[in-house]
Amino acid sequence: MNYTIVGTAGHVDHGKTALITALTGFEGDTLEEEKRRGITINLSFSSMQNATTNVAFIDVPGHEKLLKNMIAGAFGFDAALLVVDANEGMMPQTKEHLEILNLLHVKHILVALTKKDLASEETLSLRKWEITEHFKSLSHVKLLDILPVSIYDKASIETLRKALYALPFVPKKSNGLFRYYVDRSFSIAGAGTVVTGTVLDGAIKVGEKLYAPELEKEFVIRNLQVHDTDVTEALSSQRTAINLQSAQKTSFEKGVLLCKKGFIRGFDVADVWMEGIGGHTLKHNAKVILYVGTKQVEARMLFLEGESEMEKGFASLHFNKPLFLVYDEPFIVCASGRTIGGGRILNPINDPMKKKPKLELLKALHVKDFKTAFTLLVEMHKRGFGLISSNQRFGLNHDEAIGIAKKMEGIFVDEKGFVLYPLETQKELEGIIKAI
């Protein structure tokens, strides 16, 4: 079975929730306030399944004042369903959602032109042209198709359903490092504490232990559910509810990270690649709100290539508390309630180094040139550079990291200890032994 997480995006009142209800039969707006106001406030989750594919939907809010909830949901998307009212066309929130999806590299996007029964053929043709032209300005996403639909036209809904099942399945590169950000938590009588979220990488099984590094606590998995069905194992790209043993007195706030103990360290600084969106320029030393997974923290941006405003470039982000980040993890930054940019984590482990060698390292990491990155780090760590944290630092498992190291010249590889040494260290050691 292939599992795909599809996020809905689009302007408020363009029909996202009604469309998901037509596709799955699930009523997304369950809170009284959501029903009264006629808008989605929280994330809602539903799914549909055929013989080979499970498509899980994350329905996110379209209202601009609820942007942070949309961003929190977008980190789990494998693909997106962009909903556009056929008569109104693309609105400001539609374009902002698309910019966010582009920053997060959500590659495959289907567009549903809703309320087609209220639009003329000329209007539908104009909307298709407008949408196609707008996508030309986005570098990281691909427009798969534009499908006019109406919730009152069963044939159009079935056409959209088939297109969703036929979405390209792109297996995620995995280093086996389980990561999961909590988006909800609650207690169930007789069961205890349950958290929900999307498995971003790796897998977990009933009976295994999970670690919350921010809380410095470890828990045993009592039970797992995927789409309301008990399972023994949960995999990447699955919406998963985790029943944790002995967690009754623990407060799981939105954004708490769950992982395996001993693999991820926390730092209050990370080096990143950033780019502005929507005409926004990024300002040196500016205070921003950073979103990663379902987590939200205050941060300060410090550019590494000058202190003038920039549209994109390398920067250091300084957080108000330690974050447990991994290489190539996407993030979004907002200021004054608007999305101003985002990018990818390049160096999640804070090494003390001067600006020039740091920029060389970041340039190598930006293009995934790990051989050059290893060379630079070995030069900086004369007493040995450890690869034990290669999962967090490079997105590589230990075998992949050692394989790259063996192709390098001028270093000694300690395979058992996962440490790289410059050859001059070996010569220095030989001199010490001879002197003794």
Side-chain angles (χ1 to χ4, degrees), residues 59-79:
D59 185 17
V60 302
H63 199 283
E64 62 178 320
K65 292 181 180 179
L66 301 168
L67 181 68
K68 66 179 182 180
N69 287 358
M70 182 272 166
I71 294 171
F75 281 88
F77 295 177
D78 296 315

Side-chain angles (χ1 to χ4, degrees), residues 7-21:
T8 65
H11 193 72
V12 65
D13 288 337
H14 277 205
K16 296 189 300 299
T17 303
L19 188 60
I20 297 302
T21 300

Side-chain angles (χ1 to χ4, degrees), residues 55-167:
V55 177
F57 294 101
I58 300 180
D59 185 17
V60 302
H63 199 283
E64 62 178 320
K65 292 181 180 179
L66 301 168
L67 181 68
K68 66 179 182 180
N69 287 358
M70 182 272 166
I71 294 171
F75 281 88
F77 295 177
D78 296 315
L81 176 63
L82 181 70
V83 178
V84 180
D85 186 306
N87 283 291
E88 290 192 1
M90 297 184 75
M91 301 293 281
Q93 267 65 59
T94 317
K95 295 176 181 178
E96 187 167 9
H97 283 192
L98 264 178
E99 293 274 15
I100 292 168
L101 295 173
N102 188 55
L103 281 172
L104 297 178
H105 295 205
V106 180
K107 296 192 180 299
H108 299 117
I109 298 183
L110 278 173
V111 175
L113 272 179
T114 56
K115 309 175 187 179
K116 76 170 184 116
D117 50 315
L118 304 176
S120 65
E121 287 299 324
E122 292 79 7
T123 299
L124 292 174
S125 296
L126 175 61
R127 296 292 174 251
K128 287 182 178 181
W129 179 82
E130 290 172 347
I131 292 166
T132 302
E133 287 298 303
H134 187 78
F135 265 80
K136 291 178 181 178
S137 66
L138 304 170
S139 56
H140 302 308
V141 296
K142 180 180 180 181
L143 174 61
L144 296 178
D145 205 350
I146 303 173
L147 300 173
V149 297
S150 167
I151 59 174
Y152 305 108
D153 179 3
K154 291 184 179 179
S156 69
I157 296 297
E158 185 57 31
T159 299
L160 176 59
R161 187 180 286 116
K162 289 179 180 177
L164 288 162
Y165 281 133
L167 282 168

Side-chain angles (χ1 to χ4, degrees), residues 209-213 216-219 257-262:
K209 292 181 179 180
L210 285 182
Y211 185 61
E216 296 183 346
K217 291 184 178 180
E218 196 169 27
F219 309 94
L257 177 71
L258 293 177
C259 59
K260 297 295 179 69
K261 190 174 184 178

Side-chain angles (χ1 to χ4, degrees), residues 394-433:
F394 309 111
L396 301 170
N397 61 41
H398 289 159
D399 289 341
E400 290 171 328
I402 290 294
I404 293 171
K406 284 182 174 179
K407 297 176 183 177
M408 297 168 61
E409 296 179 356
I411 67 164
F412 172 75
V413 181
D414 176 3
E415 293 187 48
K416 187 175 181 180
F418 297 112
V419 181
L420 309 184
Y421 296 94
L423 283 184
E424 53 261 36
T425 304
Q426 185 179 9
K427 294 174 183 176
E428 183 181 341
L429 181 61
E430 288 174 358
I432 292 172
I433 292 172

